[in-house]
Amino acid sequence: MASQLLLPPNSFTKSVSSPKVFFTGDCQGLNDVTLKRRWKQETRVSNGFSLRAKAALRSDTNKSVVEIPKQWYNLVADLSVKPPPPLHPKTFEPIKPEDLAHLFPNELIKQEATQERFIDIPEEVLEIYKLWRPTPLIRAKRLEKLLQTPARIYFKYEGGSPAGSHKPNTAVPQAYYNAKEGVKNVVTETGAGQWGSSLAFASSLFGLDCEVWQVANSYHQKPYRRLMMQTWGAKVHPSPSDLTEAGRRILELDPSSPGSLGIAISEAVEVAARKEDTKYCLGSVLNHVLLHQTIIGEECIQQMENFGETPDIIIGCTGGGSNFAGLSFPFIREKLKGKMNPVIRAVEPSACPSLTKGVYAYDFGDTAGLTPLMKMHTLGHDFIPDPIHAGGLRYHGMAPLISHVYEQGFMEAISIPQIECFQGAIQFARTEGIIPAPEPTHAIAATIREALRCKETGEAKVILMAMCGHGHFDLTSYDKYLQGELIDLSFSEEKIRESLSKVPHVV
């Protein structure tokens, strides 16, 4: 009960399990009997949330219950112009379900191509989601005060999951569907390690063996992420490695290669393709991954309604796109219905700007060219970004569905260098108390830009930001910044031109 002292005066929070709901709000006007009744109903405080972090909803309304959504949302169903299909890398014909059977279980293949608007979430997955969902929507009042802005800033915080990020939202269903179809082993890649640790966690729950190729730069930068994966039972290799043909080829060209997500994908896909009892799992980019993440936005729509707010602008970081899609896609649905008209802004690192500097073309999702060809914004499949600290955003391409939405004009994109991002992260940490992972610092920096713009214009905009994870295992990055050793890494136009010249020509 000592943690109650962390709450502002006249506030309270409560957590209930099964069904799980959160309340928060001012206590003025509530008598002791009411408060005691509410506190008696508390059965647990869930999995790493502080009471401050659970302050997601007002209790002074009758709409203060937020339930975990029972369905994932598929944006494709509501798009009048459908996205281009993935192509077979040899025939250039649209990919068939059987072409993916060596990589994915049948249910995920169906979800990848579905035109259904909603997909039911299995009860077994919902039960695991209850470990950390629903996640809180928090108003950043202290940050607003620091910036002296009339804007109202809200952030949807996904850092309370067991792995500390949004990634278990898809890791759990992917592990579930693989286990249900009798798969014994799953393999994957990871950058910063949030995805790898999430799949390791999910695999441990369903009795799967898990093997992870982690981008070499992050493998050495973030040892505690590697240890998380190993604690949950996963085998972890730095990528490029000498365990695969793809890795050996890269090491022959550059023995000190920092690696990239594209290279790590090649290694994981190669292993999955040659073992019958092994499937591949991906943490971003593909439609079924984005589908699972929409639980974020579906919850957030309920929560914004409970606050009596409608966002004027929605901001999220983008690497492969799962976090951004998870928050924004349900709001794009509401935008298409004419219920709201927010600006939706993706923020990417200046050192890996696939949306703002890449081309919209068919390209491989991996460096070695083992995956299907996907129509996406790409810097070229063999582009290796500089080793920025936001390892989860070092991907040469953008999710095909996000790329399509961008081309259709439903969203916009900007890029920001890492020093400005860490400056924003320090402001956020010293006001809101949460140390962000390097990836969402991009969204924080863009939010601060927008809030200061509101300060200049006097507009009281409602800004909704995706805060996809905490940075507790990224403190070496903060140390670099605080010691003045962090530098802005960009890209070479010549390097991008060379990489883009190798993008397949698909007519």
Side-chain angles (χ1 to χ4, degrees):
M1 296 301 288
S3 59
Q4 293 177 48
L5 299 176
L6 297 175
L7 285 168
N10 297 325
S11 297
F12 70 92
T13 306
K14 91 169 182 137
S15 169
V16 180
S17 62
S18 188
K20 184 174 177 184
V21 296
F22 300 129
F23 298 84
T24 185
D26 294 338
C27 295
Q28 293 176 354
L30 297 178
N31 58 36
D32 289 342
V33 174
T34 302
L35 288 176
K36 287 177 181 178
R37 185 183 302 122
R38 290 182 175 179
W39 280 108
K40 282 181 180 178
Q41 290 172 355
E42 179 175 349
T43 58
R44 66 180 171 92
V45 175
S46 165
N47 201 28
F49 281 146
S50 67
L51 292 178
R52 166 72 179 93
K54 285 185 180 290
L57 299 170
R58 288 190 229 161
S59 63
D60 55 355
T61 74
N62 292 324
K63 299 180 179 180
S64 51
V65 176
V66 175
E67 296 183 352
I68 301 174
K70 301 299 189 295
Q71 296 177 310
W72 296 303
Y73 168 64
N74 177 27
L75 178 61
V76 174
D78 288 321
L79 295 177
S80 58
V81 179
K82 303 301 181 186
L87 304 179
H88 193 285
K90 293 183 178 178
T91 66
F92 287 5
E93 294 295 322
I95 205 87
K96 298 175 183 177
E98 54 266 30
D99 297 326
L100 298 174
H102 64 291
L103 291 179
F104 304 111
N106 290 330
E107 187 58 36
L108 292 180
I109 293 172
K110 291 176 184 176
Q111 290 180 8
E112 186 66 22
T114 187
Q115 300 292 309
E116 294 293 323
R117 181 170 285 105
F118 293 102
I119 303 296
D120 290 339
I121 302 174
E123 190 60 37
E124 295 92 332
V125 173
L126 283 170
E127 283 302 310
I128 296 171
Y129 277 172
K130 289 176 184 177
L131 289 173
W132 71 95
R133 304 211 70 86
T135 60
L137 177 69
I138 303 169
R139 183 170 171 187
K141 290 185 178 182
R142 294 174 180 84
L143 181 62
E144 294 170 9
K145 183 177 180 181
L146 175 72
L147 301 175
Q148 297 181 331
T149 179
R152 298 190 295 283
I153 301 171
Y154 294 87
F155 62 95
K156 178 69 166 159
Y157 183 52
E158 291 292 304
S161 75
S165 77
H166 68 294
K167 292 294 187 178
N169 295 334
T170 184
V172 170
Q174 288 192 51
Y176 165 77
Y177 289 122
N178 274 287
K180 189 177 180 182
E181 293 191 20
V183 174
K184 302 299 181 184
N185 313 297
V186 291
V187 295
T188 194
E189 77 295 326
T190 194
Q194 290 185 346
W195 165 243
S197 56
S198 298
L199 187 63
F201 157 70
S203 297
S204 72
L205 298 180
F206 290 102
L208 298 172
D209 288 333
C210 179
E211 196 166 6
V212 182
W213 272 260
Q214 185 173 15
V215 174
N217 179 67
S218 293
Y219 180 93
H220 298 297
Q221 267 187 359
K222 306 175 190 294
Y224 294 110
R225 281 284 172 192
R226 169 173 53 80
L227 287 168
M228 283 185 77
M229 295 182 242
Q230 292 169 335
T231 298
W232 278 314
K235 295 179 182 177
V236 189
H237 313 288
S239 173
S241 74
D242 60 2
L243 301 173
T244 67
E245 183 180 340
R248 289 189 291 270
R249 275 205 308 266
I250 296 295
L251 289 174
E252 286 174 8
L253 295 172
D254 181 6
S256 61
S257 171
S260 71
L261 281 168
I263 295 170
I265 291 171
S266 293
E267 296 204 80
V269 168
E270 181 182 323
V271 171
R274 71 187 184 205
K275 293 184 178 180
E276 289 187 6
D277 62 351
T278 300
K279 298 291 186 184
Y280 170 66
C281 296
L282 188 61
S284 192
V285 179
L286 296 181
N287 288 358
H288 69 269
V289 181
L290 276 54
L291 174 80
H292 300 156
Q293 293 293 354
T294 58
I295 194 167
I296 301 171
E298 294 288 23
E299 278 182 8
C300 197
I301 285 175
Q302 295 181 57
Q303 290 167 320
M304 291 297 286
E305 288 176 352
N306 291 340
F307 274 117
E309 297 274 39
T310 302
D312 296 302
I313 182 167
I314 298 171
I315 298 173
C317 67
T318 48
S322 66
N323 150 73
F324 178 80
L327 178 64
S328 68
F329 278 8
F331 283 96
I332 292 177
R333 177 190 67 220
E334 301 305 294
K335 187 172 183 174
L336 291 171
K337 290 179 179 178
K339 292 186 175 181
M340 60 179 70
N341 190 32
V343 172
I344 298 173
R345 183 172 298 152
V347 191
E348 55 188 6
S350 294
C352 192
S354 58
L355 280 170
T356 54
K357 295 292 184 180
V359 298
Y360 186 52
Y362 273 103
D363 197 9
F364 295 104
D366 71 310
T367 300
L370 301 178
T371 66
L373 291 164
M374 298 177 287
K375 189 73 175 288
M376 61 183 179
H377 283 266
T378 179
L379 297 167
H381 59 275
D382 65 352
F383 177 79
I384 299 179
D386 287 335
I388 57 173
H389 286 271
L393 305 186
R394 292 181 67 244
Y395 184 59
H396 67 271
M398 184 53 61
L401 188 50
I402 289 179
S403 296
H404 179 68
V405 167
Y406 183 58
E407 288 293 306
Q408 295 297 306
F410 296 124
M411 54 171 280
E412 58 185 45
I414 61 173
S415 64
I416 299 180
Q418 65 177 356
I419 288 180
E420 181 182 346
C421 294
F422 274 88
Q423 289 170 342
I426 294 296
Q427 289 179 300
F428 187 86
R430 292 178 181 177
T431 53
E432 296 305 314
I434 296 170
I435 300 174
E439 290 78 16
T441 64
H442 294 72
I444 291 169
T447 295
I448 290 173
R449 283 186 183 184
E450 189 66 31
L452 292 176
R453 200 173 293 126
C454 289
K455 179 181 178 180
E456 293 176 0
T457 64
E459 296 174 281
K461 289 183 179 179
V462 176
I463 304 172
L464 173 60
M465 182 185 74
M467 241 297 286
C468 58
H470 68 64
H472 298 172
F473 302 107
D474 303 285
L475 293 178
T476 53
S477 301
Y478 281 88
D479 186 45
K480 289 275 189 183
Y481 173 77
L482 293 170
Q483 297 300 324
E485 298 173 2
L486 197 68
I487 60 172
D488 279 333
L489 298 170
S490 189
F491 59 89
S492 162
E493 294 281 0
E494 181 180 349
K495 183 179 176 182
I496 288 184
R497 282 196 298 271
E498 181 182 354
S499 181
L500 290 176
S501 70
K502 299 174 186 176
V503 172
H505 182 63
V506 179
V507 178

